Amino acid sequence: VIGVVIGKTDVRGFPDRKNIGSERYTFSFTIRDSPAYFINVNSWGREEYIRSLSESFRVGDCVTIENPLIQSKEAEREEKFNPVTPSCYKLILSENHSVVRTFSCYEMDTKLLSLLHLPVKDPQDYYSLGDITANGQSLDGRILNLLAAVMSVSS
């Protein structure tokens, strides 16, 4: 699979249920290879492997993933912690079988780079800040998608 990384989580550690007293580490990222298709990728393993893999690329890099495990996603559980994707599958990276390679800027396909700035949600599925200001009472308690631009950043 070849795609541009459009999102990435931090590395997290969890107690390993199989090996009491040790930890397993994870991080996930989302890659996109066309305007309509993107998929979540999960990585689990030893701390050294996961940290090294996570540090090997960043959002905006083009990557090739070789030998991932393809797994059906559990929609309710998966999408609580990862972006909602149009696929009913996710990719799992294995330390022993999978390889992630990063392309240099010169090797990147400009078509893939243009995908980095496309929204991942349907353009009709957003509320503007004006809508929320005007209709805040009727939207109380609802989960909304927002489309906004950052005007400034300050302390």
Side-chain angles (χ1 to χ4, degrees):
V1 178
I2 298 173
V4 64
V5 177
I6 62 170
K8 184 176 165 189
T9 67
D10 292 329
V11 171
R12 297 183 318 257
F14 293 95
D16 189 339
R17 285 183 265 165
K18 293 179 184 172
N19 299 315
I20 305 302
S22 63
E23 282 191 301
R24 288 180 65 196
Y25 285 78
T26 185
F27 86 101
S28 53
F29 58 100
T30 306
I31 63 168
R32 187 176 214 163
D33 68 355
S34 72
Y37 294 103
F38 46 98
I39 194 165
N40 291 320
V41 183
N42 296 328
S43 309
W44 287 89
R46 297 176 305 114
E47 181 177 12
E48 301 80 32
Y49 166 70
I50 294 299
R51 288 199 187 281
S52 173
L53 181 60
S54 175
E55 292 168 3
S56 70
F57 62 88
R58 61 184 201 277
V59 171
D61 284 347
C62 183
V63 296
T64 299
I65 300 173
E66 298 174 10
N67 298 323
L69 174 67
I70 300 168
Q71 207 174 61
S72 296
K73 67 181 179 185
E74 301 166 40
E76 261 184 48
R77 189 169 153 232
E78 303 284 337
E79 293 174 350
K80 186 185 285 187
F81 303 106
N82 292 306
V84 177
T85 64
S87 173
C88 55
Y89 300 101
K90 63 182 176 182
L91 303 179
I92 306 290
L93 298 182
S94 158
E95 182 172 1
N96 297 325
H97 302 290
S98 307
V99 176
V100 177
R101 289 192 174 86
T102 306
F103 287 94
S104 75
C105 297
Y106 302 107
E107 296 172 305
M108 275 193 212
D109 185 343
T110 55
K111 291 177 193 161
L112 285 177
L113 283 177
S114 68
L115 300 174
L116 188 59
H117 303 291
L118 292 178
V120 294
K121 290 283 192 174
D122 178 345
Q124 306 306 312
D125 192 24
Y126 288 108
Y127 281 84
S128 70
L129 296 176
D131 292 338
I132 294 169
T133 301
N135 304 306
Q137 295 255 334
S138 65
L139 300 173
D140 190 27
R142 292 187 52 202
I143 295 174
L144 307 174
N145 296 314
L146 300 177
L147 182 60
V150 176
M151 285 179 45
S152 67
V153 177
S154 62
S155 56

